Amino acid sequence: MTDKAQPEMMTGAEIVLRALKDQGVKDIFGYPGGAVLPIYDELFQQDELNHILVRHEQGAVHAAEGYARSSGKVGVVMVTSGPGATNTVTGLTDALMDSIPVVVITGQVPTTLIGTDAFQECDTVGITRPATKHNYLVKDVNDIARTIHEAFYVATHGRPGPVVVDIPKDIQFQTGVYVPPEEVKHRTYHPQVKGDPAAIEQALELMANAKRPIFYTGGGVINSGMAAVEALRDLVKATGFPITSTLMGLGAFPASNEQWLGMLGMHGTYEANLAMHGCDVMIAVGARFDDRITGKVDAFAPGSKKIHIDIDPASINKVVHADVGILGDCGHVLQEMLRLWHEKNLSEKVDREALARWWNQIDVWRARDCLAYQKRKDAIMPQYAIERLWALTHEMDPIITTDVGQHQMWTAQYYRFDAPRRLMTSGGLGTMGYGLPAALGAKAANRDKPVICISGDGSIQMNIQELATAIHHDLPVKVFLLNNNYLGMVRQWQELLHGNRFSESYVEAQPDFLALAEAYHWKGMHVTRPDELDDAIREMMAHDGPVFMNVQVVNLANCFPMIPAGQPHNEMLLGEEVKSAEEAGV
Amino acid sequence: MNKPATGIPPASAYFITPEKEREELHTLAVVVDNEPGVLARIIGLFSARGYNIEQLTVSETEHERGISRITIVCRGTPHTLNQIRAQLSRLVPVHSVADLTLMGDPIERELALVKVVGEGEKRVEALRLADAFRARVVDAHTGSFVFEITGKSRKVDQFIELMKPLGLIEVVRTGIAAISRGPKPLRAD
């Protein structure tokens, strides 16, 4: 601290690695190429940063997402210019939609060649501008350190998101000044963290007078951190209100708790959706009223007052009018609400009789058992497969990743998450091919925890090449494949909404997944009968290494409940096994 | 199968509700860091989210601090205008966003250069009208004038309209610069 006059000089490539180390980075997911060779050369000559070589740049970003979401740290990616950069676009958009902090360093052709259509040149900042929270092209070696520190700041502050830093190759070779993180302060970006006290008072007033309240929480609670999760759990318990959550919010509140209603939305539970529809006060926390949640907007929770807590000013009043909007970090706001709830003794003020009537109503809805499905002895029902997976693995506290489609919704419905940062899934963008690389990223951040990727036969083939990464970097994850030979969710929509015409949703010429797994040096398993399933799951978990388990499930199962097109929450399609209103004693 | 709600295609996965509010024209002042790509970011936001820009004026206002001020005239329902403000304010290089129309009746001025070609009576008439509109002659040749006119957009429109039969051949307009009335400055940070 004595001699600040002597700035540290080093090459641009050295500055990149030093800045990453000073940001606390341990692992980088990436793929080398011409325009990042100077940085890869530096990487070779050090051993503090661990590089994980993926097999496709899209996989690198999903792996970084899985790493970030399972650990709360920033996921870091390094790729080359041109195709390296364009291949990250799906992952960047995925991270943007789901608010995942990721920093992607892309190489660029030398500054003298920019704009000449050079080999592997593309307008990386132009292409990734709408796919990132922010992005930079660094044109001066002396700006590299500041830009990388800013990128980490922007990725993690406010609503988290992906940031790209594009660095031309000549800049990587030049010598410049290193600036440490503590000397970098952002000029413009300072999101509001603390909620407005008057708005919090208003919210508590609404809650204390509610007769049919409900908490509706999202991924923002998990992104905010453990303080937010704990404050939410305490506040829900203190109030005695029911709680539901989005796909992204699963695990923030334990599924094993009595106050938990299950997920809401298009494939949410009957009780969660009807409680949302009938509530008089809704407390939305870190959730953004996505169209899969609201259904028909003008029939969404009619007659309710809505409190909306969010860090993103553009999320409040975007889709649904908030009667009380609280801009701020939900951790701070929930802690403040909890403190005032106790201080003002608001539990005394709550209309206990009305709340008891509300719970009675909810119990009647629950009695219909909306997740009931046909039990079969001759074939494996996909719901059964997930139920058994949960039963046999939840005590190991695994991290679950999914791809996109029916298996994803069944996971949300039947795998009961009791802790945050245990489910990684592509919620906003719905990216098939997310699950396997995300599992590898989660494993890299949590080597002591089992990691299971629940996938489908369509999705798994969208990033199948990452099977090699698992072996190369000793990331022994499990793939639990629900194979029904269809793009199941597409087929379900075609059955229900397009006259049963299965246009291009039957997957002919499936690979032999067992042979495929073995070709990549994985242990392959194949299960077709329900009575084999338990032993197979035990064997999969006990095996010391990656396992690819192909579970042949019935072809034509549908995912219910389902809110069909243009319908409000109280117009759900239910499965055939669900009890009728009479049977449930409604 | 299920009866669709009005206006929604039967098999749509999305729920579209028709807009009921009336559209308004508002003038926004956006103060930004003058970094590369900042304008692309703002324009990209408008096109990506389907907002309408009617006018856009950009220039650096504080050179030492590297700050630019962008004046945007945009059209939308009160709900959309709210969203535009919120979306702009969360862009990383944006210092502040103000809806000048909401703050009161802002002063709005625009400059136009108008080239008129003609001889004889038409030429005299053009010069006479220019004088009435307080437009200045910034270039004069035997067969042409270039007028500089400043004022509200409506005044500029009128002037251009009047010049049409008198030999108008070219117009360039800056788009408006807008500022709020009274002693209070726009918050820079």
Side-chain angles (χ1 to χ4, degrees), chain A residues 129 133-136 154 159 186-189 266 291-292 295-298 312-314 316-319 493 496-498 564-567 573, chain B residues 1-5 8 10-15 17 20 33 35 37 40-41 65-67 79 83 86-87 89-95 189:
Chain A
R129 194 175 290 123
K133 182 173 171 185
H134 199 56
N135 63 12
Y136 304 86
V154 169
R159 181 173 167 184
H186 205 281
R187 277 161 55 88
T188 50
Y189 192 66
M266 184 169 268
D291 58 275
R292 304 291 102 158
K296 193 179 174 202
V297 173
D298 52 9
D312 175 13
I316 299 173
N317 287 321
K318 179 172 69 180
V319 177
W493 278 71
L496 299 175
L497 302 161
H498 293 270
Q567 300 293 329
L573 296 179
Chain B
M1 209 203 65
N2 289 283
K3 204 175 120 252
I8 301 167
S12 172
Y14 300 93
F15 312 94
T17 34
K20 290 185 205 90
D33 246 18
E35 62 172 43
R41 242 173 253 289
R65 292 177 66 203
I67 283 179
H79 173 249
Q83 262 296 298
Q87 293 286 359
S89 72
R90 71 180 192 146
L91 289 181
V92 170
V94 168
H95 283 271
D189 267 306

Side-chain angles (χ1 to χ4, degrees), chain B residues 34 55 68 82 99 103 106 118 120 124 131 160 165-166 181:
Chain B
N34 190 15
Q55 286 194 43
S68 291
N82 241 321
D99 186 329
M103 290 162 65
V124 177
D131 193 42
I160 291 168
L166 301 177
R181 292 174 191 275

Side-chain angles (χ1 to χ4, degrees), chain A residues 10-85:
Chain A
M10 52 187 94
T11 67
E14 287 173 311
I15 291 175
V16 171
L17 295 193
R18 175 67 182 279
L20 294 179
K21 286 175 195 169
D22 283 357
Q23 287 292 341
V25 175
K26 299 271 180 281
D27 302 285
I28 302 172
F29 301 90
Y31 205 103
V36 275
L37 282 177
I39 303 176
Y40 270 87
D41 194 35
E42 285 304 323
L43 209 52
F44 187 81
Q45 300 175 52
Q46 58 84 52
D47 46 20
E48 280 174 72
L49 292 166
N50 175 41
H51 182 270
I52 294 168
L53 178 69
V54 294
R55 296 311 191 254
H56 185 288
E57 289 89 349
Q58 184 192 347
V61 186
H62 293 324
E65 287 185 273
Y67 187 91
R69 292 185 60 192
S70 63
S71 67
K73 292 188 256 178
V74 177
V76 180
V77 173
M78 194 172 306
V79 297
T80 192
S81 62

Side-chain angles (χ1 to χ4, degrees), chain A residues 342-390:
Chain A
H342 289 308
E343 191 180 292
K344 292 169 176 265
N345 220 348
L346 291 177
S347 289
E348 300 286 303
K349 218 183 150 196
V350 169
D351 184 344
R352 289 285 141 197
E353 259 177 58
L355 193 57
R357 275 199 302 279
W358 181 227
W359 272 114
N360 281 339
Q361 173 64 67
I362 289 169
D363 285 340
V364 168
W365 290 327
R366 273 175 170 167
R368 291 194 63 179
D369 192 11
C370 70
L371 296 179
Y373 58 89
Q374 188 194 9
K375 301 277 192 283
R376 285 176 63 164
K377 289 217 160 91
D378 58 326
I380 300 175
M381 291 295 284
Q383 298 95 325
Y384 177 75
I386 305 231
E387 270 191 340
R388 293 316 300 160
L389 185 70
W390 174 79

